């Protein structure tokens, strides 16, 4: 059982907070991604776990024991970085064997471990080559191999796919995930790429300005975001966030978007703390808006502004009718995801239909209500 616990961990650099009162439990054999925008404290968290930084407050436990007093070498953690940092003058075999040599592992054991790692990573035919004669993907596999041969308790990975081309990146995501499953090593993976985190992780911890915003499975975070930041960070094209106000009239309940009143009478119970006029934010994902064929009271007349082909789907950016609240949206437009091949052109008048059973309602401050 290798569980990693971050218990109220904070890190300040010269008085500036990089990580603030961070609590997270990473379960045995779990693949946990630390996700967030640039500068939110992801690398600092990883460095704290590795022992490359000392927390200003809080505790870090591995396997039930605090590691704050345990030196880096003895933490039994292997790290993989953005840059592979291989030794160019050494063969692949020597690169893989190096961490073991440093730890005075016997030659026989080293051979066995290198052989196993090389087979696992498909490097067995490349053991005599030097890194300069390997592709980017092969070099990254050697970097992973160097972590694997150590047979550590925990893998820490800091954006290891950053410098690979998009195709290789997609391939390596699957390879790393499969490898991690097979080895069953608790893994903490830092990335700013939401799709990478969604595809690879058992759970994701999403950070903003050093503060944990939400932790959960990819589906949980996508479907039940805790605030507008989380909702906006996951999903591509991004969720539509629209200012609105709460209105009760004639026994019905609406979200008033100025250009349209969305009837949410059947969800009124959850909204019962609201009062007429409360300012809210409606979140609706591009796949929950459709283009309606028929004119009806629950559709919104609008105009196609931009079409972004995404392969099997397209993102249609649609201009809303007069709408003054531009604060959270991209202007006065919404993203609508449709199947490719839909016969629409820029400038076409279309009617939008919101799937109101899949909406999110946030307070003006950003916290989720529904
Ligand atoms: P990126 O995705 O760009 O790598 P990140 O989320 O990993 O960013 P960190 O590198 O952890 O973010 O940095 C978090 C904050 O702490 C940043 O504001 C950064 O400038 C600051 N910081 C990190 N290391 C140090 C340091 N050694 N001294 C001073 N400030 C630092």
């Amino acid at each position: 059982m290798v569980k990693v616990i971050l218990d109220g961990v904070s890190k300040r650099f010269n008085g500036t907070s990089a990580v603030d009162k961070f609590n997270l439990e990473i379960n045995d054999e779990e693949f946990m991604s630390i996700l967030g925008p640039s500068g939110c404290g992801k690398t600092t968290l990883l460095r704290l776990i590795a022992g490359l930084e000392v927390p200003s407050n809080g505790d870090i436990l591995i396997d039930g024991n605090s590691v704050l007093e345990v030196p880096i070498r003895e933490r039994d953690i292997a790290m993989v970085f953005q840059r592979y940092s291989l030794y160019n003058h050494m063969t692949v075999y020597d690169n893989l064997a190096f961490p073991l040599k440093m730890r005075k592992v016997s030659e026989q054991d080293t051979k066995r471990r290198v052989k196993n790692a090389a087979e696992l990573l498909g490097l067995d035919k490349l053991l005599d080559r030097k890194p300069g004669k390997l592709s980017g993907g092969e070099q990254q596999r050697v970097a992973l191999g160097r972590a694997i041969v150590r047979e550590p308790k925990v893998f820490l990975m800091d954006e290891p796919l950053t410098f690979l081309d998009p195709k290789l990146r997609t391939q390596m995501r699957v390879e790393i995930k499969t490898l991690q499953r097979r080895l069953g090593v608790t893994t903490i993976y830092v990335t700013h790429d939401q799709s990478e985190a969604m595809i690879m992780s058992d759970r994701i911890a999403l950070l903003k300005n050093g503060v944990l915003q939400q932790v959960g499975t990819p589906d949980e975070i996508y479907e039940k975001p805790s605030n507008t930041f989380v909702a906006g960070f996951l999903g591509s094209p991004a969720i539509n966030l629209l200012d609105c106000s709460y209105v009760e009239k004639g026994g019905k309940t609406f979200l008033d978007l100025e250009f349209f009143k969305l009837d949410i009478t059947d969800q009124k119970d959850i909204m019962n703390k609201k009062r007429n006029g409360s300012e809210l934010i409606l979140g609706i994902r591009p796949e929950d808006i459709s283009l309606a064929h028929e004119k009806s009271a629950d559709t919104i007349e609008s105009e196609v502004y931009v079409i972004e082909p995404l392969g099997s789907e397209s993102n249609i950016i649609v201009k809303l009718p007069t709408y003054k609240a531009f604060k959270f949206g991209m202007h006065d437009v919404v993203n609508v995801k449709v199947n490719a091949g839909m016969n629409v052109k820029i400038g076409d008048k279309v009617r939008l239909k919101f799937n109101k059973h899949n909406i999110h309602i946030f307070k003006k401050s950003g916290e989720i209500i529904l």
Side-chain angles (χ1 to χ4, degrees):
M1 277 288 285
V2 183
K3 203 170 177 172
V4 179
I5 299 178
L6 296 152
D7 182 10
V9 172
S10 296
K11 178 68 186 174
R12 286 178 291 280
F13 294 107
N14 311 321
T16 310
S17 174
V19 173
D20 194 27
K21 300 184 199 82
F22 197 91
N23 292 305
L24 185 65
E25 286 197 23
I26 300 125
N27 295 319
D28 187 33
E29 300 194 10
E30 188 170 35
F31 194 115
M32 172 73 81
S33 286
I34 310 281
L35 175 68
S38 185
C40 73
K42 305 181 294 294
T43 298
T44 303
L45 262 178
L46 222 53
R47 289 172 60 82
L48 286 162
I49 300 168
L52 297 163
E53 301 284 356
V54 180
S56 312
N57 289 103
D59 201 357
I60 299 170
L61 295 97
I62 299 179
D63 242 356
N65 300 312
S66 172
V67 292
L68 294 191
E69 303 297 325
V70 179
I72 303 172
R73 289 187 139 267
E74 288 163 33
R75 287 199 187 185
D76 209 358
I77 279 171
M79 250 182 124
V80 182
F81 298 95
Q82 281 181 355
R83 304 220 174 257
Y84 325 128
S85 42
L86 303 179
Y87 300 109
N88 284 323
H89 62 288
M90 289 187 195
T91 62
V92 169
Y93 182 94
D94 290 335
N95 265 286
L96 292 175
F98 189 75
L100 303 179
K101 201 169 162 187
M102 297 302 288
R103 283 169 181 76
K104 305 208 173 359
V105 175
S106 74
E107 210 176 311
Q108 198 185 2
D109 208 13
T110 299
K111 269 192 188 147
R112 177 188 61 80
R113 292 206 214 172
V114 170
K115 186 169 169 280
N116 287 347
E119 272 172 17
L120 205 57
L121 292 160
L123 291 169
D124 31 351
K125 301 216 165 41
L126 304 172
L127 288 171
D128 295 330
R129 283 215 206 149
K130 296 210 170 131
K133 299 237 160 74
L134 298 175
S135 70
E138 288 162 349
Q139 289 187 39
Q140 188 52 280
R141 275 190 214 125
V142 179
L144 284 171
R146 279 208 312 207
I148 292 170
V149 290
R150 300 227 344 244
E151 299 175 358
K153 279 187 186 160
V154 181
F155 284 139
L156 302 180
M157 303 195 188
D158 193 357
E159 311 225 24
L161 307 181
T162 304
F163 295 109
L164 300 181
D165 66 52
K167 192 164 168 234
L168 202 52
R169 218 180 146 128
T170 316
Q171 184 189 329
M172 286 301 289
R173 281 175 184 173
V174 181
E175 284 190 23
I176 293 182
K177 178 70 203 154
T178 313
L179 193 69
Q180 191 268 344
R181 280 251 164 86
R182 277 172 75 177
L183 296 171
V185 177
T186 308
T187 298
I188 307 170
Y189 186 97
V190 158
T191 181
H192 66 269
D193 181 335
Q194 53 105 9
S195 56
E196 202 163 282
M198 294 282 277
I199 289 166
M200 297 175 80
S201 319
D202 295 318
R203 286 191 301 155
I204 298 172
L206 185 54
L207 260 89
K208 180 189 174 191
N209 297 335
V211 179
L212 182 63
Q213 303 293 303
Q214 191 168 1
V215 55
T217 65
D219 284 350
E220 277 166 1
I221 297 201
Y222 188 77
E223 280 158 22
K224 294 193 171 72
S226 61
N227 58 40
T228 46
F229 172 79
V230 175
F233 204 83
L234 293 180
S236 176
I239 193 169
N240 300 294
L241 295 170
L242 304 164
D243 288 343
C244 58
S245 52
Y246 179 85
V247 176
E248 283 181 6
K249 203 173 172 188
K252 293 201 160 225
T253 308
F254 301 94
L255 291 179
D256 186 352
L257 291 147
E258 295 174 22
F259 56 87
F260 179 69
K261 286 186 179 54
L262 185 69
D263 186 342
I264 54 156
T265 309
D266 51 356
Q267 294 170 28
K268 203 172 103 186
D269 288 351
I270 310 168
M271 300 290 293
N272 64 6
K273 289 199 201 95
K274 293 289 120 195
R275 262 188 249 119
N276 256 348
S278 291
E279 295 297 309
L280 301 169
I281 298 164
L282 165 67
I284 183 156
R285 296 217 178 259
E287 60 269 31
D288 293 316
I289 307 179
S290 53
L291 301 185
H293 300 292
E294 306 292 321
K295 187 172 179 174
S296 63
D298 63 348
T299 61
I300 307 158
E301 195 162 334
S302 47
E303 185 182 316
V304 175
Y305 188 53
V306 174
I307 301 173
E308 296 177 336
L310 304 168
S312 61
E313 293 164 326
S314 293
N315 180 37
I316 313 237
I317 302 179
V318 175
K319 211 170 190 349
L320 296 169
T322 49
Y323 184 48
K324 71 174 164 50
F326 297 165
K327 196 168 165 197
F328 290 96
M330 230 181 89
H331 303 298
D332 50 348
V333 295
V334 289
N335 290 307
V336 181
K337 209 186 240 183
V338 299
N339 288 329
M342 190 167 261
N343 192 18
V344 282
K345 300 184 299 301
I346 291 172
D348 278 0
K349 297 272 184 270
V350 288
R351 302 198 68 89
L352 303 180
K353 183 161 183 164
F354 287 12
N355 175 3
K356 59 185 178 184
H357 299 291
N358 259 351
I359 57 171
H360 304 279
I361 301 170
F362 302 95
K363 291 183 193 167
K364 200 80 172 170
S365 56
E367 296 146 68
I368 191 80
I369 299 174
L370 164 64

